[in-house]
């Protein structure tokens, strides 16, 4: 025990240190508060009796601050400066990044780089990225770990549990993901994009989603220019292990194959956070106008939906909407559509899906009608037994209608199986009866002949005498 305390002076457990490594391995930069909310959300509802919000935060984050301090002594974590609100941020050392890769079961190439100097400018962008991940995951507390807490805290925790689910876990996310239009994954060339977040959660209906966070400092034209880089990346192809050229992104991430009539690129979500001076709604509209060539679809008037062959589904939201509604709520505006939708509807094409479903239903109905008509016509041609009047079974019909001369022909093609069997039995019995009659007749004739011969012999003997 003394040895453990010496190695981990803050008294952290293996689980707590693993929490810190996993969160920092994904987010790269995070506060103890963010690490706690992601990995131990039940602690958010503890210490509610502390007199101030600052005291409550200090109490609920103490365990993870201690774990981060122990990891610092091991050379795995560094202090990364402070946020604009004065909270200390942590980052990983190269050794810490390697340890986090083991915890996340990822190869080093998937881990990304180590940010430098983020805390010197307040880390506002990384903090927005982190809050976006938390708002998408919506971590739910374990109520069993809150026994004995005040009723108000339990009610708040239960409300969080009952709220709509988020998407994925911390392991579903990656940050600072290179999207090389040229070069390699590890060394992307100039003109390549770099996604703030990549989300892979196929179990939640999101095979792949790229996410960009903006604090409303950048000009809309700069944000729109990122989509030129995305488009170049999505168009890049490479031979896969099967020797077939595929989009480069498909060699790294799994996603359903494109429909033959519509090759839609992975969606991109823009999350705006009102930190800078530019109004959120104005930013959204300007970016939508400037990226029209990348997202605008073709209207199919007859079916009432757009197709997006070779287009990028671009969706926008705000961090406030996302926190309020979550992924399942009406927080997402798909460029080119009216109003806001849940995330799955926004990144999908529900009108097209509904129209195609109607087409499939109509095709199935037509096929069913055709099959019923053919069945009725076939039924009208079905032979009827000349004896009992019953319709032939399919097997009997096939037997009497066989065109294969190598097959034996039915002996009574105008009769059903039952009547044929009965007729064959009757014919065989008739044959037996006929043979017996003929045999009886033969014997009778022989007996008569013998009697006649005997009579003839007696007459001759009297004549001679």
């Amino acid at each position: 025990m003394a040895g453990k305390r010496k190695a981990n002076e803050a008294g952290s457990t293996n689980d707590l240190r693993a929490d810190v490594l996993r969160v920092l391995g994904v987010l790269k930069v995070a506060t103890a508060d963010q690490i706690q909310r992601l990995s131990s959300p039940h602690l958010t509802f503890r210490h509610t009796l502390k007199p101030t919000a600052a005291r409550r935060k200090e109490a609920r984050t103490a365990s993870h601050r201690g774990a981060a301090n122990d990891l610092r002594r091991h050379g795995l974590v560094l202090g990364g400066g402070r946020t604009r609100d004065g909270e200390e941020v942590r980052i990983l050392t190269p050794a810490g990044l390697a340890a986090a890769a083991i915890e996340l079961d990822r190869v080093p190439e998937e881990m990304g780089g180590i940010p430098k100097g983020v805390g010197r400018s307040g880390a506002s962008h990384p903090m927005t990225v982190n809050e976006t991940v938390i708002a998408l995951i919506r971590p739910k507390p374990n109520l069993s770990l809150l026994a004995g807490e005040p009723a108000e805290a339990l009610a708040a925790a239960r409300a969080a549990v009952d709220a709509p689910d988020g998407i994925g876990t911390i392991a579903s996310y990656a940050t600072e993901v290179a999207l090389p239009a040229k070069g390699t994954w590890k060394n992307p060339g100039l003109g390549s994009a770099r996604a703030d977040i990549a989300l892979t959660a196929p179990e939640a209906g999101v095979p792949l989603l790229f996410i960009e966070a903006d604090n409303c400092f950048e000009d809309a034209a700069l944000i729109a220019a990122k989509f030129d880089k995305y488009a170049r990346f999505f168009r890049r192809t490479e031979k896969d292990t099967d020797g077939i050229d595929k989009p480069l992104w498909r060699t790294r991430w799994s996603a359903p194959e494109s429909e033959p009539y519509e090759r839609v690129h992975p969606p991109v979500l823009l999350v705006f956070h009102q930190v800078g001076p530019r109004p959120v709604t104005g930013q959204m509209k300007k970016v939508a106008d400037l990226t029209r060539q990348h997202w605008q679809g073709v209207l199919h008037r007859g079916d009432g939906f757009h197709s997006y062959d070779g287009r990028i589904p671009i969706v926008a939201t705000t961090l406030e909407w996302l926190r309020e509604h979550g992924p399942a709520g009406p927080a997402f505006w798909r460029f080119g559509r009216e109003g806001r939708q849940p995330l799955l509807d926004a990144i999908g094409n529900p009108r097209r899906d509904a129209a195609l479903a109607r087409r499939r239903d109509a095709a199935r109905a037509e096929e069913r009608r055709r099959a019923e008509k053919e069945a009725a016509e076939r039924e009208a041609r079905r032979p009827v037994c000349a004896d009992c009047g019953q319709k032939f079974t399919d097997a009997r019909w096939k037997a009497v209608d066989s065109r294969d001369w190598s097959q034996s022909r039915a002996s009574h093609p105008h009769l059903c199986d039952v009547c044929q069997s009965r007729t064959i039995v009757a014919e065989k019995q008739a044959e037996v009866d006929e043979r017996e009659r003929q045999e009886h007749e033969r014997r009778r004739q022989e007996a008569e002949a013998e009697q006649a011969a005997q009579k003839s012999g007696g007459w001759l003997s009297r004549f001679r005498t």
Side-chain angles (χ1 to χ4, degrees), residues 425-435:
V425 170
E427 288 176 346
K428 288 182 178 178
Q429 185 62 47
E431 291 176 0
V432 171
D433 292 344
E434 178 61 21
R435 285 197 298 271

Side-chain angles (χ1 to χ4, degrees), residues 2 26 47 63 88 106 113 126 192-193 199 221 229 245 252 258 261 280 312 321 349-350 388 400-401:
V26 171
H47 310 291
S63 297
E88 185 180 2
R106 294 179 181 175
S192 298
L199 165 60
K229 298 179 180 180
D245 279 333
R252 177 169 178 177
S258 297
Y261 50 82
V280 166
I312 305 172
W321 294 345
N349 196 344
C388 69
V400 302
D401 196 36

Side-chain angles (χ1 to χ4, degrees), residues 122-137:
S124 61
H125 183 262
M127 293 303 100
T128 298
V129 169
N130 296 355
E131 292 301 322
T132 297
V133 172
I134 294 171
L136 285 167
I137 295 176

